[in-house]
Amino acid sequence: MVRIIGILVGLFFTAAVLWAFGNGAVQVASQDYFVEKTAETEFHLHPKELDQASDHLVAHWDKQQLQRGYQVYKEVCAACHSLRHVAFRDLEQIGYTEAQVKAIAATWQVPGVDPVTGEATTVPGKPTDYFPLVYLNDVAARAANNNAIPPDLSLMTKARHEGPAYVYSLLTGYSEIPAELTAEFPDFSTPPGLHFNRYFANLNLAMPPPLAVDDQVTYADGTPATIDQMAKDVSAFLTWTAEPSLPKRKQTGWPVIGFLIFATILAYLAKKQIWARAKKKA
């Protein structure tokens, strides 16, 4: 009787698993089959491949690249996008000295108080200050950007799928609407004030191309500042702002994996030894 009940329970769970698998497969197939074909679904592109030092087996930060990325952020992106979760003193992690960080902070204006009048004002930043907000609130941001709110970039590469590659692709993905798109979807257009970009979900982006020409910045280390290079550098910098401990986390993983492999081998050998004795007794 117990055996029959066990068999029935097993059959029930097997049927439940098969039903769940089949139902999920049918739903996915139905969604793919019945999805409406639009310009967005047909012409939106997956992010390009991007190779960063932090992606390697021995992950590390290319500090020279991060400093170039900071320069691109300050000279190009900082006009619209904030880094609210990053403090100036954090820049020491990418190779700047304490004196350099102090000088960098002083080039930024942060909220402060006039010591004479007690009124709110702006003052030169200190290493302990955070990067200032570009706009005081969403209303000000919309008013200055054609009703669009420029997102904060502190965590952008963690907030988007394949974040670093997404940022790089978006910055280098502006183009004219391809002829094949208008041929297949004659009603598609880019409204005034928007810009066509195949790496953006709905193809039309409010942000104009921030990296418009080569040599838009002049790198201190002499690296040619092509659009592609500037996009890679600022993507690397934003990868760091989103997770400064990324290489350390990955490096910690290798000893953990080594320990787990060693523990597995040890457990296997112990099992062999224990069962060898049991077989002899049997």
Side-chain angles (χ1 to χ4, degrees):
M1 186 65 180
V2 174
R3 182 175 296 179
I4 294 174
I5 293 174
I7 292 173
L8 292 176
V9 171
L11 289 173
F12 171 77
F13 279 109
T14 302
V17 170
L18 290 175
W19 179 85
F21 176 79
N23 186 55
V26 169
Q27 288 183 359
V28 171
S30 299
Q31 289 172 359
D32 290 341
Y33 183 78
F34 291 108
V35 66
E36 181 184 0
K37 288 187 177 182
T38 64
E40 291 80 7
T41 60
E42 296 298 304
F43 286 88
H44 175 238
L45 294 180
H46 190 74
K48 306 174 188 177
E49 293 291 330
L50 179 64
D51 180 37
Q52 292 185 328
S54 56
D55 296 330
H56 296 173
L57 288 177
V58 182
H60 64 283
W61 292 123
D62 181 344
K63 293 185 177 180
Q64 198 167 24
Q65 182 180 39
L66 296 184
Q67 291 183 15
R68 294 197 302 268
Y70 165 70
Q71 185 177 350
V72 174
Y73 166 75
K74 182 178 181 181
E75 296 185 20
V76 179
C77 310
C80 299
H81 297 278
S82 304
L83 283 180
R84 63 184 303 175
H85 297 296
V86 183
F88 294 116
R89 61 185 174 188
D90 294 334
L91 295 177
E92 289 187 36
Q93 299 177 26
I94 65 174
Y96 290 111
T97 65
E98 185 177 346
Q100 287 175 319
V101 168
K102 188 174 181 180
I104 289 172
T107 65
W108 292 79
Q109 292 292 311
V110 300
V113 176
D114 190 315
V116 178
T117 64
E119 296 179 350
T121 184
T122 57
V123 297
K126 302 185 295 294
T128 53
D129 291 322
Y130 282 75
F131 280 83
L133 297 178
V134 179
Y135 305 105
L136 294 179
N137 54 37
D138 290 350
V139 175
R142 289 184 184 279
N145 294 279
N146 194 27
N147 206 38
I149 301 176
D152 182 271
L153 296 182
S154 307
L155 305 175
M156 181 55 65
T157 58
K158 300 293 286 185
R160 297 290 184 271
H161 178 62
E162 297 188 30
Y166 168 80
V167 171
Y168 165 67
S169 301
L170 193 73
L171 291 175
T172 57
Y174 291 89
S175 68
E176 297 295 327
I177 301 176
E180 57 268 27
L181 189 158
T182 52
E184 187 172 351
F185 300 96
D187 293 335
F188 177 85
S189 64
T190 297
L194 300 183
H195 308 270
F196 182 77
N197 192 313
R198 293 187 66 175
Y199 296 97
F200 192 65
N202 64 8
L203 304 182
N204 289 322
L205 180 60
M207 179 176 70
L211 302 176
V213 295
D214 293 340
D215 299 318
Q216 197 166 330
V217 302
T218 302
Y219 285 139
D221 62 3
T223 300
T226 62
I227 292 178
D228 189 77
Q229 184 65 54
M230 289 186 290
K232 287 179 178 177
D233 292 342
V234 77
S235 297
F237 175 69
L238 294 178
T239 303
W240 169 79
T241 64
E243 190 175 2
S245 61
L246 176 61
K248 186 178 293 184
R249 175 172 62 80
K250 290 186 175 182
Q251 291 165 9
T252 303
W254 291 113
V256 172
I257 292 174
F259 171 77
L260 292 175
I261 293 174
F262 174 76
T264 301
I265 294 173
L266 196 64
Y268 174 75
L269 294 176
K271 174 257 183 186
K272 293 283 289 184
Q273 185 177 17
I274 292 170
W275 281 101
R277 293 175 183 173
K279 288 179 180 179
K280 286 182 181 179
K281 290 180 180 180

